[in-house]
Amino acid sequence: TWKDQACVRTSQIHWREDHSVTWLERHMEMTQGFILVGKNPGLFVLGEPTHDREDLDEKHRALPDPATTKAYILPPGQGIIIKKGTWHDFPVSCGPPVSAFILNTEEVVEALASMPAAGPMNHGDCFKLRMSEHWDFTLKFPDPRPFVQKLGLVPTPIAQPLMGPEGYGAGMQRAEVASGWGNGARVLVVPVVNVEVFTPGCGGPAIQPHLQSVPELANKGWRDYGNRRGLQRLSQMFKELGIPATAVINSEAAQLDYVAKALKSSGWELGAHGLNNSSGNAKMTRAEEEAHFKRCLDDLQGSLGARPATWLTPGFSVTERTPEIAAKSGVKAFLDFVDDDVPYDIVHSESGARTLCLPYCMETNDFSLVLTKHFDARQYAQAIEDHVRQLAKEPGEKVVCLGMHTFVAGTPARVLALSEAFGRLKACPEVRFATAAQVHDAVRKPR
């Protein structure tokens, strides 16, 4: 349906990082059309008409209803006609540029062209409003790139920089650490003992993955063994060797009396590892993630008597906001990144909040070496020793985190092999063992 002369425009729409719905408009005297040309899909934000809703008063019939506003993916080469009164935004790219024919009336085109800058308008058959002037929340659509790529709607893979421009989180920038923090050591080795619990019935790491019955006893018991025996065995090993260590702890694990007792007597630095290892941060909103950090840190302080200053996110299940929220929550040493052999700061560009990243090495992690590469106890310990010795030969100061789990590293055979390897490394003049907190303090110490 057209009020006057039809007008066809073309537009090429490029990707935008902001997924907010800033504007919505509607037309009451025509049905507008969009046709996608080329090989790429587009995203359309559409809201059901409200002008004829009998359940709304006159004021709200002039506004879109956020509850009925949705984002739709239109495959390439297809088009849509939207009926009168449908609220809509301009088409959005799903990653690669999308080209479209836009079917309008001359009146609407002239009205839009008359605006010197984007703004609300009520001219002719174009009624357009700014969402923030009517609601105290922001309407957003999910990132469409994983969806269109999974369904094969784009011809080539789409780059998805989901952790900010530098890869360290939204708004986070990397800052290098000045040399001299090692105080004569070339390698600081940080044993990181993961103390974890898993939600019953939700699975977890397995020593015999083929066992899938419910209730499942063997793999669950293997994981529970870590907290009942492996934790105490590792604690005793580090005490006998006189080597410091950091534990990163699920706050729900610290609520177990025998776990809390072992941790309090260990002499380790006590860090944070989320609530449990079955639920990560990945799908949380900002408010949910901030509450998650606070609850974890509060609970660990209550259970163990000190507020943690070191953080490792369970299962690397992060959002692009995790590093910023960690820094603002008082986390001084952050272990989520794995991309270097040296510590470095990440700093939030707006707030100035910073945290020190200690790369959490994948090559020395017991999951990598034992569960993935299937190394036996001697091979596991030897791989760690070889890694550290090679770093000690190289110029500059390095840090290496040894990711250890109570149910993997804490078994008798592995503790025996580790104690021998750690004893040899302790005798190396270029190597020093430390906690994450000690590395942080060394970096921050004036020099």
Side-chain angles (χ1 to χ4, degrees):
T1 302
W2 303 96
K3 177 183 178 183
D4 58 13
Q5 183 67 37
C7 179
V8 180
R9 296 177 296 152
T10 61
S11 180
Q12 186 175 69
I13 303 125
H14 293 269
W15 171 253
R16 71 185 201 202
E17 291 290 344
D18 183 12
H19 300 157
S20 301
V21 180
T22 304
W23 308 95
L24 283 178
E25 64 183 75
R26 70 179 180 187
H27 313 291
M28 300 302 298
E29 298 179 323
M30 71 165 187
T31 52
Q32 188 172 7
F34 299 90
I35 301 173
L36 301 187
V37 294
K39 298 181 178 180
N40 297 320
L43 181 145
F44 291 81
V45 176
L46 303 174
E48 294 181 8
T50 54
H51 64 280
D52 55 359
R53 289 259 302 265
E54 295 183 358
D55 60 324
L56 299 178
D57 57 26
E58 184 177 353
K59 174 185 175 182
H60 289 91
R61 290 193 189 106
L63 298 173
D65 181 359
T68 62
T69 302
K70 299 180 180 180
Y72 299 87
I73 302 294
L74 188 66
Q78 299 191 26
I80 59 170
I81 297 290
I82 56 176
K83 65 181 182 180
K84 293 180 181 179
T86 299
W87 294 97
H88 59 281
D89 194 8
F90 199 71
V92 177
S93 164
C94 293
V98 57
S99 297
F101 288 135
I102 302 171
L103 286 67
N104 248 327
T105 64
E106 289 186 350
E107 178 188 48
V108 170
V109 172
E110 290 173 359
L112 292 170
S114 68
M115 297 289 290
M121 64 183 301
N122 186 7
H123 178 69
D125 190 27
C126 189
F127 179 63
K128 179 180 178 181
L129 54 81
R130 181 184 281 113
M131 299 290 283
S132 61
E133 293 179 356
H134 301 275
W135 287 276
D136 60 359
F137 59 85
T138 301
L139 198 64
K140 291 188 174 186
F141 52 84
D143 188 333
R145 293 174 295 183
F147 180 81
V148 298
Q149 189 158 297
K150 181 179 180 180
L151 293 184
L153 296 178
V154 287
T156 56
I158 304 171
Q160 299 180 46
L162 301 180
M163 286 297 289
E166 294 189 22
Y168 297 113
M172 303 301 287
Q173 297 176 335
R174 175 167 170 161
E176 302 304 327
V177 169
S179 61
W181 57 269
N183 195 27
R186 284 193 175 179
V187 185
L188 268 70
V189 180
V190 182
V192 181
V193 180
N194 290 243
V195 183
E196 301 173 344
V197 290
F198 298 82
T199 302
C202 292
I207 191 170
Q208 294 194 9
H210 65 282
L211 299 177
Q212 299 288 331
S213 61
V214 178
E216 194 279 314
L217 298 179
N219 292 308
K220 178 183 182 300
W222 174 68
R223 295 189 296 269
D224 291 345
Y225 174 90
N227 289 335
R228 291 186 180 276
R229 298 299 177 193
L231 172 59
Q232 292 81 352
R233 186 174 292 116
L234 287 168
S235 176
Q236 185 61 33
M237 177 192 73
F238 284 114
K239 285 180 181 177
E240 291 175 353
L241 291 169
I243 289 176
T246 293
V248 288
I249 308 149
N250 292 159
S251 59
E252 292 176 7
Q255 294 170 11
L256 300 171
D257 289 342
Y258 57 90
V259 170
K261 181 180 178 181
L263 289 170
K264 289 177 181 178
S265 65
S266 67
W268 295 339
E269 177 205 358
L270 304 181
H273 194 33
L275 303 184
N276 59 60
N277 252 61
S278 298
S279 55
N281 298 24
K283 296 183 179 181
M284 292 182 182
T285 64
R286 171 179 285 275
E288 289 170 340
E289 191 168 16
E290 288 173 341
H292 176 89
F293 266 84
K294 184 178 186 305
R295 179 182 169 189
C296 174
L297 296 172
D298 285 350
D299 288 353
L300 286 171
Q301 183 175 9
S303 298
L304 302 175
R307 193 168 189 83
T310 294
W311 178 277
L312 173 65
T313 302
F316 296 100
S317 177
V318 301
T319 73
E320 63 180 0
R321 300 174 299 273
T322 302
E324 174 202 348
I325 294 172
K328 290 181 177 178
S329 298
V331 170
K332 296 180 179 179
F334 189 67
L335 308 184
D336 282 6
F337 294 109
V338 304
D339 59 348
D340 215 325
D341 295 321
V342 299
Y344 53 88
D345 280 318
I346 51 174
V347 185
H348 191 248
S349 56
E350 293 183 7
S351 68
R354 74 169 55 220
T355 188
L356 182 70
C357 289
L358 304 187
Y360 190 73
C361 182
M362 291 288 95
E363 290 288 338
T364 57
N365 188 288
D366 59 0
F367 272 20
S368 301
L369 297 174
V370 177
L371 298 188
T372 301
K373 296 185 178 182
H374 304 294
F375 283 9
D376 64 29
R378 296 289 171 183
Q379 291 172 320
Y380 163 55
Q382 190 62 53
I384 291 174
E385 183 177 352
D386 291 349
H387 187 99
V388 174
R389 287 186 180 277
Q390 175 58 33
L391 290 180
K393 293 180 180 180
E394 299 173 2
E397 299 155 311
K398 310 290 176 61
V399 63
V400 56
C401 292
L402 310 181
M404 309 167 73
H405 295 76
T406 59
F407 49 89
V408 179
T411 61
R414 295 188 189 105
V415 165
L416 177 61
L418 284 172
S419 63
E420 295 171 359
F422 287 169
R424 293 189 292 269
L425 287 174
K426 187 181 177 184
C428 294
E430 302 90 355
V431 175
R432 188 166 78 245
F433 285 84
T435 66
Q438 288 170 338
V439 176
H440 170 271
D441 291 348
V443 169
R444 296 285 185 257
K445 184 178 180 179
R447 55 186 182 276

